[in-house]
Structures are given as C-alpha cells and as structure tokens.
Amino acid sequence: MPVYNGERFISESIQSILNQSYTNFEVLVLDNGSTDKTQDILANFARLDNRIRIILESKPLGYGGEVASNVAARQANGLFIAKLDADDVATPDRLAKQVTFLLAHPDIFMVGSQLTLIDEAGNVTGSRAYPTDHDAIYNEFYLRFPMANPAVMYRNILQDDLYQIRFPHFNDYYSLFLLIRNGYRMHNLPEPLTAYRIHTANTVFTNLRAKWRSNMAIKESFVREFGYKASKTHQIKLVMITWAINLLPERFLTSIMNQARQVLKA
C-alpha cells in the first residue's frame, strides 16, 4: 500500500485488511514523504499489530505510487502480493477468495475482481465491471485497463519490478499489458472485492487532459510495438472520449468522466 498525505482514509484502508477472514499476511505500507498526520497514524497501527511494516521515504517517489509499490514489493515475504490503495477498502473475504483461486489455478499469475464505487463518506455510488477470463481481458486492453489495479493479487515470482516506468502516467496499465504479452495469465473474479473511492484528491482525476495523452500513447504502443488489433467499436469509443476531453472545460471533466466510462464501458 503506497500512501502520500493519506490521513483522511488510510485508517479505514488498513483496518479493512486487519479485518480479513484470511489472517496469514503482512502489510507493507510505504509512506511517500507525507507531510500530514499519515506517519503518526501508521506508527500507531504498527504498534498495535506486528504484521504491519512501515517503509518511510523522505520525499515522494512519483508516478502515482507505482515506484513506491515496486519498492515495497521487493521486501515482500509472501507467496502472493496483494495491492490496495490508501483510500480504498477491501471486503473482509477479499484475501481468502484470491488466495483460494490462485492456489487452485497455478496457471494464473494475477487475479483481480470487480469494483464497488464509493464516495468520500463511504457511500456506494456505483460499480465497475471487468471481464473475467484471460482472453476477454486481453481483448479489452486497448479500450481500457481491464484489471482494477487496487484489487489485484499476483504471484511473488517476478525477477524484475512489476511496474515498468516508461510513461508520465498509467505505467500500471502499460506494465500489465507487457506481462500478458509475455505469457502471464490473468483472471478477474466475478464479485467486487474492493471498494474504489472516488473523491476530489484522486490522482487519476487530476490533470485529465495530460493523463489522457499518456493513456493514448500507451494504447498506440500496444498497436505499434506489439501488433495489437483493436476492434472498430473500441476505436470509435476512444474517439468519442478523446473528443469530449478535448472539448469540455477541464473543471467539468472530473464530474462527468466516471459517468462517461460507465456508459461507454471504458
């Protein structure tokens, strides 16, 4: 769990892991140079539960927590590594269901889930659905990121970092595509096991135009470098989204972007 100035939600996120029905885990939290009360909150949790390990960085490592996740993962002792962002919430059976699935399916490298969407107060505002089987996941990679990054669990077998840093944003999207192209199989469980919190400080909802340019550059790399064949339907949807992002005032984009993704299934 990478965190930067996460005092508002970090306690709820960590507590959702401590409340898991599966209890054989360690929690590695990497603080990215927080200047609020995050470090105090983390220290208190670590005093109360020796399964919590805190890694402190003096300044933010950047790239949306992906570098921080790499640093933490290098210190992980477990057979599997699960991701959770510092403002999201895991259901009590998340780890149990994902561990059970990976043990039963040795050919699968990574397992995710569907998402429940929540607001700042934790109220459910919607859901986000993802394809479940490996082939369907691959077929949607050009349209969108078909794995929910804060909901994944993967095998601790990589010789290199999970996240390859190449683009200004969304290197998780690019990196998982590289893995799937290199033969690592993926699956999403059909139920929501993580609640994804949408709020004004979400990094994914800031600087939307610049981030969309990174998103499209990543998609273009799929086609140009790996020969990915995107469907006409997916290409048309992306043209529509690009048109809206370029046309609408930036201040309106955050409020409508998630609704647009729901409608377009992107």
PDB file of all heavy atoms in Angstrom, residues 27-63:
ATOM      1  N   VAL A  27       1.431  -6.580   6.132  1.00  0.00           N
ATOM      2  CA  VAL A  27       1.007  -5.351   5.460  1.00  0.00           C
ATOM      3  C   VAL A  27       2.232  -4.456   5.315  1.00  0.00           C
ATOM      4  O   VAL A  27       2.812  -4.022   6.314  1.00  0.00           O
ATOM      5  CB  VAL A  27      -0.085  -4.607   6.260  1.00  0.00           C
ATOM      6  CG1 VAL A  27      -0.552  -3.376   5.479  1.00  0.00           C
ATOM      7  CG2 VAL A  27      -1.258  -5.530   6.561  1.00  0.00           C
ATOM      8  N   LEU A  28       2.622  -4.203   4.079  1.00  0.00           N
ATOM      9  CA  LEU A  28       3.735  -3.299   3.815  1.00  0.00           C
ATOM     10  C   LEU A  28       3.168  -1.977   3.323  1.00  0.00           C
ATOM     11  O   LEU A  28       2.558  -1.920   2.250  1.00  0.00           O
ATOM     12  CB  LEU A  28       4.683  -3.878   2.762  1.00  0.00           C
ATOM     13  CG  LEU A  28       5.531  -5.059   3.224  1.00  0.00           C
ATOM     14  CD1 LEU A  28       4.822  -6.369   2.891  1.00  0.00           C
ATOM     15  CD2 LEU A  28       6.897  -5.032   2.562  1.00  0.00           C
ATOM     16  N   VAL A  29       3.340  -0.943   4.117  1.00  0.00           N
ATOM     17  CA  VAL A  29       2.859   0.387   3.753  1.00  0.00           C
ATOM     18  C   VAL A  29       4.075   1.277   3.518  1.00  0.00           C
ATOM     19  O   VAL A  29       4.918   1.435   4.403  1.00  0.00           O
ATOM     20  CB  VAL A  29       1.981   1.001   4.864  1.00  0.00           C
ATOM     21  CG1 VAL A  29       1.379   2.320   4.379  1.00  0.00           C
ATOM     22  CG2 VAL A  29       0.879   0.033   5.273  1.00  0.00           C
ATOM     23  N   LEU A  30       4.163   1.837   2.311  1.00  0.00           N
ATOM     24  CA  LEU A  30       5.262   2.737   2.008  1.00  0.00           C
ATOM     25  C   LEU A  30       4.746   4.164   2.006  1.00  0.00           C
ATOM     26  O   LEU A  30       3.900   4.527   1.184  1.00  0.00           O
ATOM     27  CB  LEU A  30       5.912   2.412   0.661  1.00  0.00           C
ATOM     28  CG  LEU A  30       7.227   3.165   0.408  1.00  0.00           C
ATOM     29  CD1 LEU A  30       8.221   2.314  -0.364  1.00  0.00           C
ATOM     30  CD2 LEU A  30       7.014   4.493  -0.303  1.00  0.00           C
ATOM     31  N   ASP A  31       5.250   4.953   2.947  1.00  0.00           N
ATOM     32  CA  ASP A  31       4.863   6.359   3.014  1.00  0.00           C
ATOM     33  C   ASP A  31       5.794   7.179   2.128  1.00  0.00           C
ATOM     34  O   ASP A  31       7.002   7.169   2.289  1.00  0.00           O
ATOM     35  CB  ASP A  31       4.944   6.876   4.447  1.00  0.00           C
ATOM     36  CG  ASP A  31       4.528   8.338   4.512  1.00  0.00           C
ATOM     37  OD1 ASP A  31       3.321   8.605   4.548  1.00  0.00           O
ATOM     38  OD2 ASP A  31       5.421   9.207   4.484  1.00  0.00           O
ATOM     39  N   ASN A  32       5.157   7.897   1.197  1.00  0.00           N
ATOM     40  CA  ASN A  32       5.854   8.647   0.155  1.00  0.00           C
ATOM     41  C   ASN A  32       6.176  10.073   0.596  1.00  0.00           C
ATOM     42  O   ASN A  32       5.826  11.025  -0.091  1.00  0.00           O
ATOM     43  CB  ASN A  32       4.935   8.712  -1.079  1.00  0.00           C
ATOM     44  CG  ASN A  32       5.447   7.863  -2.219  1.00  0.00           C
ATOM     45  OD1 ASN A  32       6.622   7.843  -2.507  1.00  0.00           O
ATOM     46  ND2 ASN A  32       4.540   7.158  -2.866  1.00  0.00           N
ATOM     47  N   GLY A  33       6.787  10.246   1.749  1.00  0.00           N
ATOM     48  CA  GLY A  33       7.138  11.586   2.201  1.00  0.00           C
ATOM     49  C   GLY A  33       5.959  12.426   2.629  1.00  0.00           C
ATOM     50  O   GLY A  33       5.929  13.642   2.377  1.00  0.00           O
ATOM     51  N   SER A  34       4.984  11.825   3.296  1.00  0.00           N
ATOM     52  CA  SER A  34       3.792  12.570   3.727  1.00  0.00           C
ATOM     53  C   SER A  34       4.154  13.704   4.675  1.00  0.00           C
ATOM     54  O   SER A  34       5.065  13.586   5.497  1.00  0.00           O
ATOM     55  CB  SER A  34       2.798  11.632   4.418  1.00  0.00           C
ATOM     56  OG  SER A  34       2.262  10.696   3.508  1.00  0.00           O
ATOM     57  N   THR A  35       3.401  14.791   4.573  1.00  0.00           N
ATOM     58  CA  THR A  35       3.603  15.945   5.455  1.00  0.00           C
ATOM     59  C   THR A  35       2.407  16.175   6.370  1.00  0.00           C
ATOM     60  O   THR A  35       2.407  17.133   7.150  1.00  0.00           O
ATOM     61  CB  THR A  35       3.856  17.214   4.620  1.00  0.00           C
ATOM     62  OG1 THR A  35       2.755  17.421   3.713  1.00  0.00           O
ATOM     63  CG2 THR A  35       5.143  17.079   3.813  1.00  0.00           C
ATOM     64  N   ASP A  36       1.391  15.334   6.295  1.00  0.00           N
ATOM     65  CA  ASP A  36       0.234  15.440   7.193  1.00  0.00           C
ATOM     66  C   ASP A  36       0.426  14.464   8.353  1.00  0.00           C
ATOM     67  O   ASP A  36       1.544  14.156   8.742  1.00  0.00           O
ATOM     68  CB  ASP A  36      -1.077  15.218   6.429  1.00  0.00           C
ATOM     69  CG  ASP A  36      -1.165  13.812   5.835  1.00  0.00           C
ATOM     70  OD1 ASP A  36      -0.209  13.014   5.999  1.00  0.00           O
ATOM     71  OD2 ASP A  36      -2.194  13.499   5.215  1.00  0.00           O
ATOM     72  N   LYS A  37      -0.642  13.926   8.903  1.00  0.00           N
ATOM     73  CA  LYS A  37      -0.553  13.038  10.051  1.00  0.00           C
ATOM     74  C   LYS A  37      -0.445  11.555   9.675  1.00  0.00           C
ATOM     75  O   LYS A  37      -0.556  10.681  10.534  1.00  0.00           O
ATOM     76  CB  LYS A  37      -1.768  13.247  10.959  1.00  0.00           C
ATOM     77  CG  LYS A  37      -1.847  14.647  11.559  1.00  0.00           C
ATOM     78  CD  LYS A  37      -3.084  14.801  12.420  1.00  0.00           C
ATOM     79  CE  LYS A  37      -3.171  16.208  13.005  1.00  0.00           C
ATOM     80  NZ  LYS A  37      -4.405  16.397  13.814  1.00  0.00           N
ATOM     81  N   THR A  38      -0.200  11.288   8.400  1.00  0.00           N
ATOM     82  CA  THR A  38      -0.150   9.894   7.941  1.00  0.00           C
ATOM     83  C   THR A  38       0.866   9.062   8.713  1.00  0.00           C
ATOM     84  O   THR A  38       0.570   7.947   9.162  1.00  0.00           O
ATOM     85  CB  THR A  38       0.160   9.834   6.438  1.00  0.00           C
ATOM     86  OG1 THR A  38      -0.912  10.437   5.698  1.00  0.00           O
ATOM     87  CG2 THR A  38       0.322   8.396   5.977  1.00  0.00           C
ATOM     88  N   GLN A  39       2.061   9.575   8.905  1.00  0.00           N
ATOM     89  CA  GLN A  39       3.102   8.790   9.570  1.00  0.00           C
ATOM     90  C   GLN A  39       2.743   8.480  11.020  1.00  0.00           C
ATOM     91  O   GLN A  39       3.049   7.391  11.519  1.00  0.00           O
ATOM     92  CB  GLN A  39       4.448   9.517   9.482  1.00  0.00           C
ATOM     93  CG  GLN A  39       5.011   9.564   8.068  1.00  0.00           C
ATOM     94  CD  GLN A  39       6.413  10.122   8.001  1.00  0.00           C
ATOM     95  OE1 GLN A  39       7.081  10.297   9.014  1.00  0.00           O
ATOM     96  NE2 GLN A  39       6.879  10.406   6.792  1.00  0.00           N
ATOM     97  N   ASP A  40       2.082   9.399  11.686  1.00  0.00           N
ATOM     98  CA  ASP A  40       1.634   9.140  13.058  1.00  0.00           C
ATOM     99  C   ASP A  40       0.594   8.026  13.086  1.00  0.00           C
ATOM    100  O   ASP A  40       0.620   7.152  13.968  1.00  0.00           O
ATOM    101  CB  ASP A  40       1.049  10.409  13.680  1.00  0.00           C
ATOM    102  CG  ASP A  40       2.091  11.491  13.894  1.00  0.00           C
ATOM    103  OD1 ASP A  40       3.283  11.155  13.991  1.00  0.00           O
ATOM    104  OD2 ASP A  40       1.707  12.682  13.944  1.00  0.00           O
ATOM    105  N   ILE A  41      -0.320   8.058  12.122  1.00  0.00           N
ATOM    106  CA  ILE A  41      -1.358   7.026  12.043  1.00  0.00           C
ATOM    107  C   ILE A  41      -0.720   5.666  11.778  1.00  0.00           C
ATOM    108  O   ILE A  41      -1.067   4.657  12.421  1.00  0.00           O
ATOM    109  CB  ILE A  41      -2.380   7.380  10.939  1.00  0.00           C
ATOM    110  CG1 ILE A  41      -3.130   8.658  11.311  1.00  0.00           C
ATOM    111  CG2 ILE A  41      -3.347   6.220  10.702  1.00  0.00           C
ATOM    112  CD1 ILE A  41      -3.987   9.217  10.177  1.00  0.00           C
ATOM    113  N   LEU A  42       0.231   5.629  10.866  1.00  0.00           N
ATOM    114  CA  LEU A  42       0.915   4.370  10.541  1.00  0.00           C
ATOM    115  C   LEU A  42       1.682   3.831  11.743  1.00  0.00           C
ATOM    116  O   LEU A  42       1.650   2.623  12.020  1.00  0.00           O
ATOM    117  CB  LEU A  42       1.870   4.579   9.367  1.00  0.00           C
ATOM    118  CG  LEU A  42       1.243   4.955   8.023  1.00  0.00           C
ATOM    119  CD1 LEU A  42       2.319   5.142   6.969  1.00  0.00           C
ATOM    120  CD2 LEU A  42       0.233   3.903   7.572  1.00  0.00           C
ATOM    121  N   ALA A  43       2.371   4.701  12.453  1.00  0.00           N
ATOM    122  CA  ALA A  43       3.143   4.268  13.624  1.00  0.00           C
ATOM    123  C   ALA A  43       2.229   3.664  14.677  1.00  0.00           C
ATOM    124  O   ALA A  43       2.575   2.662  15.325  1.00  0.00           O
ATOM    125  CB  ALA A  43       3.921   5.455  14.201  1.00  0.00           C
ATOM    126  N   ASN A  44       1.057   4.232  14.841  1.00  0.00           N
ATOM    127  CA  ASN A  44       0.112   3.706  15.819  1.00  0.00           C
ATOM    128  C   ASN A  44      -0.380   2.315  15.417  1.00  0.00           C
ATOM    129  O   ASN A  44      -0.452   1.403  16.252  1.00  0.00           O
ATOM    130  CB  ASN A  44      -1.076   4.663  15.963  1.00  0.00           C
ATOM    131  CG  ASN A  44      -2.012   4.234  17.075  1.00  0.00           C
ATOM    132  OD1 ASN A  44      -1.613   4.072  18.218  1.00  0.00           O
ATOM    133  ND2 ASN A  44      -3.286   4.030  16.729  1.00  0.00           N
ATOM    134  N   PHE A  45      -0.690   2.135  14.140  1.00  0.00           N
ATOM    135  CA  PHE A  45      -1.107   0.809  13.664  1.00  0.00           C
ATOM    136  C   PHE A  45       0.014  -0.208  13.866  1.00  0.00           C
ATOM    137  O   PHE A  45      -0.234  -1.352  14.286  1.00  0.00           O
ATOM    138  CB  PHE A  45      -1.501   0.870  12.188  1.00  0.00           C
ATOM    139  CG  PHE A  45      -2.956   1.165  11.941  1.00  0.00           C
ATOM    140  CD1 PHE A  45      -3.347   2.391  11.457  1.00  0.00           C
ATOM    141  CD2 PHE A  45      -3.938   0.215  12.180  1.00  0.00           C
ATOM    142  CE1 PHE A  45      -4.686   2.681  11.208  1.00  0.00           C
ATOM    143  CE2 PHE A  45      -5.274   0.474  11.943  1.00  0.00           C
ATOM    144  CZ  PHE A  45      -5.650   1.717  11.462  1.00  0.00           C
ATOM    145  N   ALA A  46       1.245   0.179  13.566  1.00  0.00           N
ATOM    146  CA  ALA A  46       2.376  -0.741  13.691  1.00  0.00           C
ATOM    147  C   ALA A  46       2.604  -1.153  15.140  1.00  0.00           C
ATOM    148  O   ALA A  46       3.019  -2.288  15.413  1.00  0.00           O
ATOM    149  CB  ALA A  46       3.633  -0.104  13.104  1.00  0.00           C
ATOM    150  N   ARG A  47       2.344  -0.251  16.073  1.00  0.00           N
ATOM    151  CA  ARG A  47       2.475  -0.599  17.493  1.00  0.00           C
ATOM    152  C   ARG A  47       1.420  -1.608  17.921  1.00  0.00           C
ATOM    153  O   ARG A  47       1.661  -2.462  18.778  1.00  0.00           O
ATOM    154  CB  ARG A  47       2.348   0.672  18.351  1.00  0.00           C
ATOM    155  CG  ARG A  47       3.604   1.531  18.384  1.00  0.00           C
ATOM    156  CD  ARG A  47       3.529   2.579  19.484  1.00  0.00           C
ATOM    157  NE  ARG A  47       2.458   3.541  19.228  1.00  0.00           N
ATOM    158  CZ  ARG A  47       2.618   4.676  18.559  1.00  0.00           C
ATOM    159  NH1 ARG A  47       3.816   4.987  18.068  1.00  0.00           N
ATOM    160  NH2 ARG A  47       1.608   5.505  18.389  1.00  0.00           N
ATOM    161  N   LEU A  48       0.245  -1.531  17.306  1.00  0.00           N
ATOM    162  CA  LEU A  48      -0.867  -2.386  17.704  1.00  0.00           C
ATOM    163  C   LEU A  48      -0.838  -3.761  17.043  1.00  0.00           C
ATOM    164  O   LEU A  48      -1.415  -4.719  17.571  1.00  0.00           O
ATOM    165  CB  LEU A  48      -2.199  -1.692  17.362  1.00  0.00           C
ATOM    166  CG  LEU A  48      -2.489  -0.392  18.119  1.00  0.00           C
ATOM    167  CD1 LEU A  48      -3.746   0.272  17.572  1.00  0.00           C
ATOM    168  CD2 LEU A  48      -2.631  -0.664  19.614  1.00  0.00           C
ATOM    169  N   ASP A  49      -0.189  -3.868  15.877  1.00  0.00           N
ATOM    170  CA  ASP A  49      -0.215  -5.133  15.133  1.00  0.00           C
ATOM    171  C   ASP A  49       1.141  -5.333  14.470  1.00  0.00           C
ATOM    172  O   ASP A  49       1.535  -4.541  13.601  1.00  0.00           O
ATOM    173  CB  ASP A  49      -1.332  -5.106  14.079  1.00  0.00           C
ATOM    174  CG  ASP A  49      -1.662  -6.493  13.539  1.00  0.00           C
ATOM    175  OD1 ASP A  49      -0.713  -7.230  13.205  1.00  0.00           O
ATOM    176  OD2 ASP A  49      -2.856  -6.835  13.438  1.00  0.00           O
ATOM    177  N   ASN A  50       1.857  -6.394  14.874  1.00  0.00           N
ATOM    178  CA  ASN A  50       3.212  -6.597  14.360  1.00  0.00           C
ATOM    179  C   ASN A  50       3.246  -7.144  12.941  1.00  0.00           C
ATOM    180  O   ASN A  50       4.325  -7.371  12.379  1.00  0.00           O
ATOM    181  CB  ASN A  50       4.021  -7.500  15.299  1.00  0.00           C
ATOM    182  CG  ASN A  50       3.402  -8.883  15.459  1.00  0.00           C
ATOM    183  OD1 ASN A  50       2.522  -9.294  14.705  1.00  0.00           O
ATOM    184  ND2 ASN A  50       3.873  -9.608  16.467  1.00  0.00           N
ATOM    185  N   ARG A  51       2.071  -7.375  12.336  1.00  0.00           N
ATOM    186  CA  ARG A  51       2.040  -7.767  10.916  1.00  0.00           C
ATOM    187  C   ARG A  51       2.210  -6.564  10.004  1.00  0.00           C
ATOM    188  O   ARG A  51       2.388  -6.726   8.785  1.00  0.00           O
ATOM    189  CB  ARG A  51       0.717  -8.470  10.594  1.00  0.00           C
ATOM    190  CG  ARG A  51       0.527  -9.806  11.275  1.00  0.00           C
ATOM    191  CD  ARG A  51      -0.852 -10.368  11.012  1.00  0.00           C
ATOM    192  NE  ARG A  51      -1.900  -9.491  11.571  1.00  0.00           N
ATOM    193  CZ  ARG A  51      -3.207  -9.740  11.454  1.00  0.00           C
ATOM    194  NH1 ARG A  51      -3.622 -10.806  10.801  1.00  0.00           N
ATOM    195  NH2 ARG A  51      -4.077  -8.908  11.996  1.00  0.00           N
ATOM    196  N   ILE A  52       2.163  -5.354  10.553  1.00  0.00           N
ATOM    197  CA  ILE A  52       2.262  -4.131   9.760  1.00  0.00           C
ATOM    198  C   ILE A  52       3.707  -3.652   9.745  1.00  0.00           C
ATOM    199  O   ILE A  52       4.321  -3.445  10.796  1.00  0.00           O
ATOM    200  CB  ILE A  52       1.334  -3.038  10.321  1.00  0.00           C
ATOM    201  CG1 ILE A  52      -0.125  -3.517  10.246  1.00  0.00           C
ATOM    202  CG2 ILE A  52       1.517  -1.729   9.559  1.00  0.00           C
ATOM    203  CD1 ILE A  52      -1.099  -2.570  10.906  1.00  0.00           C
ATOM    204  N   ARG A  53       4.256  -3.479   8.540  1.00  0.00           N
ATOM    205  CA  ARG A  53       5.615  -2.986   8.358  1.00  0.00           C
ATOM    206  C   ARG A  53       5.553  -1.647   7.631  1.00  0.00           C
ATOM    207  O   ARG A  53       4.940  -1.548   6.562  1.00  0.00           O
ATOM    208  CB  ARG A  53       6.451  -3.984   7.569  1.00  0.00           C
ATOM    209  CG  ARG A  53       6.692  -5.304   8.313  1.00  0.00           C
ATOM    210  CD  ARG A  53       7.271  -6.349   7.380  1.00  0.00           C
ATOM    211  NE  ARG A  53       8.484  -5.876   6.724  1.00  0.00           N
ATOM    212  CZ  ARG A  53       9.015  -6.484   5.646  1.00  0.00           C
ATOM    213  NH1 ARG A  53       8.438  -7.549   5.131  1.00  0.00           N
ATOM    214  NH2 ARG A  53      10.112  -5.993   5.094  1.00  0.00           N
ATOM    215  N   ILE A  54       6.169  -0.650   8.183  1.00  0.00           N
ATOM    216  CA  ILE A  54       6.146   0.687   7.612  1.00  0.00           C
ATOM    217  C   ILE A  54       7.493   0.978   6.951  1.00  0.00           C
ATOM    218  O   ILE A  54       8.549   0.775   7.553  1.00  0.00           O
ATOM    219  CB  ILE A  54       5.860   1.758   8.681  1.00  0.00           C
ATOM    220  CG1 ILE A  54       4.620   1.369   9.515  1.00  0.00           C
ATOM    221  CG2 ILE A  54       5.689   3.129   8.035  1.00  0.00           C
ATOM    222  CD1 ILE A  54       3.362   1.177   8.706  1.00  0.00           C
ATOM    223  N   ILE A  55       7.445   1.439   5.716  1.00  0.00           N
ATOM    224  CA  ILE A  55       8.637   1.850   4.971  1.00  0.00           C
ATOM    225  C   ILE A  55       8.512   3.347   4.726  1.00  0.00           C
ATOM    226  O   ILE A  55       7.508   3.809   4.160  1.00  0.00           O
ATOM    227  CB  ILE A  55       8.743   1.101   3.626  1.00  0.00           C
ATOM    228  CG1 ILE A  55       8.670  -0.416   3.846  1.00  0.00           C
ATOM    229  CG2 ILE A  55      10.022   1.480   2.893  1.00  0.00           C
ATOM    230  CD1 ILE A  55       8.417  -1.205   2.574  1.00  0.00           C
ATOM    231  N   LEU A  56       9.497   4.105   5.158  1.00  0.00           N
ATOM    232  CA  LEU A  56       9.423   5.561   5.056  1.00  0.00           C
ATOM    233  C   LEU A  56      10.371   6.077   3.985  1.00  0.00           C
ATOM    234  O   LEU A  56      11.551   5.705   3.952  1.00  0.00           O
ATOM    235  CB  LEU A  56       9.765   6.209   6.400  1.00  0.00           C
ATOM    236  CG  LEU A  56       8.846   5.863   7.579  1.00  0.00           C
ATOM    237  CD1 LEU A  56       9.357   6.541   8.849  1.00  0.00           C
ATOM    238  CD2 LEU A  56       7.408   6.274   7.283  1.00  0.00           C
ATOM    239  N   GLU A  57       9.834   6.906   3.110  1.00  0.00           N
ATOM    240  CA  GLU A  57      10.635   7.633   2.131  1.00  0.00           C
ATOM    241  C   GLU A  57      10.578   9.112   2.492  1.00  0.00           C
ATOM    242  O   GLU A  57       9.517   9.625   2.857  1.00  0.00           O
ATOM    243  CB  GLU A  57      10.096   7.419   0.710  1.00  0.00           C
ATOM    244  CG  GLU A  57      10.321   6.026   0.171  1.00  0.00           C
ATOM    245  CD  GLU A  57      11.775   5.763  -0.194  1.00  0.00           C
ATOM    246  OE1 GLU A  57      12.517   6.737  -0.465  1.00  0.00           O
ATOM    247  OE2 GLU A  57      12.172   4.579  -0.201  1.00  0.00           O
ATOM    248  N   SER A  58      11.692   9.804   2.353  1.00  0.00           N
ATOM    249  CA  SER A  58      11.752  11.208   2.778  1.00  0.00           C
ATOM    250  C   SER A  58      11.024  12.145   1.833  1.00  0.00           C
ATOM    251  O   SER A  58      10.608  13.240   2.230  1.00  0.00           O
ATOM    252  CB  SER A  58      13.211  11.657   2.915  1.00  0.00           C
ATOM    253  OG  SER A  58      13.887  11.521   1.672  1.00  0.00           O
ATOM    254  N   LYS A  59      10.829  11.726   0.577  1.00  0.00           N
ATOM    255  CA  LYS A  59      10.122  12.557  -0.388  1.00  0.00           C
ATOM    256  C   LYS A  59       9.347  11.666  -1.353  1.00  0.00           C
ATOM    257  O   LYS A  59       9.664  10.477  -1.504  1.00  0.00           O
ATOM    258  CB  LYS A  59      11.103  13.445  -1.156  1.00  0.00           C
ATOM    259  CG  LYS A  59      12.173  12.689  -1.925  1.00  0.00           C
ATOM    260  CD  LYS A  59      13.137  13.656  -2.589  1.00  0.00           C
ATOM    261  CE  LYS A  59      14.214  12.894  -3.361  1.00  0.00           C
ATOM    262  NZ  LYS A  59      15.167  13.820  -4.028  1.00  0.00           N
ATOM    263  N   PRO A  60       8.321  12.205  -2.013  1.00  0.00           N
ATOM    264  CA  PRO A  60       7.510  11.397  -2.926  1.00  0.00           C
ATOM    265  C   PRO A  60       8.340  10.791  -4.047  1.00  0.00           C
ATOM    266  O   PRO A  60       9.210  11.449  -4.624  1.00  0.00           O
ATOM    267  CB  PRO A  60       6.490  12.412  -3.472  1.00  0.00           C
ATOM    268  CG  PRO A  60       6.416  13.483  -2.442  1.00  0.00           C
ATOM    269  CD  PRO A  60       7.806  13.586  -1.873  1.00  0.00           C
ATOM    270  N   LEU A  61       8.074   9.526  -4.339  1.00  0.00           N
ATOM    271  CA  LEU A  61       8.770   8.828  -5.405  1.00  0.00           C
ATOM    272  C   LEU A  61       8.117   9.047  -6.762  1.00  0.00           C
ATOM    273  O   LEU A  61       8.710   8.716  -7.794  1.00  0.00           O
ATOM    274  CB  LEU A  61       8.832   7.327  -5.101  1.00  0.00           C
ATOM    275  CG  LEU A  61       9.597   6.955  -3.831  1.00  0.00           C
ATOM    276  CD1 LEU A  61       9.470   5.464  -3.553  1.00  0.00           C
ATOM    277  CD2 LEU A  61      11.055   7.355  -3.940  1.00  0.00           C
ATOM    278  N   GLY A  62       6.893   9.580  -6.773  1.00  0.00           N
ATOM    279  CA  GLY A  62       6.232   9.934  -8.022  1.00  0.00           C
ATOM    280  C   GLY A  62       5.571   8.764  -8.731  1.00  0.00           C
ATOM    281  O   GLY A  62       5.509   7.644  -8.232  1.00  0.00           O
ATOM    282  N   TYR A  63       5.061   9.053  -9.910  1.00  0.00           N
ATOM    283  CA  TYR A  63       4.438   8.065 -10.789  1.00  0.00           C
ATOM    284  C   TYR A  63       3.244   7.370 -10.139  1.00  0.00           C
ATOM    285  O   TYR A  63       3.055   6.152 -10.277  1.00  0.00           O
ATOM    286  CB  TYR A  63       5.463   7.041 -11.280  1.00  0.00           C
ATOM    287  CG  TYR A  63       6.510   7.651 -12.186  1.00  0.00           C
ATOM    288  CD1 TYR A  63       7.750   8.010 -11.691  1.00  0.00           C
ATOM    289  CD2 TYR A  63       6.223   7.893 -13.527  1.00  0.00           C
ATOM    290  CE1 TYR A  63       8.705   8.600 -12.519  1.00  0.00           C
ATOM    291  CE2 TYR A  63       7.173   8.473 -14.359  1.00  0.00           C
ATOM    292  CZ  TYR A  63       8.408   8.826 -13.852  1.00  0.00           C
ATOM    293  OH  TYR A  63       9.339   9.408 -14.662  1.00  0.00           O
TER     294      TYR A  63
END
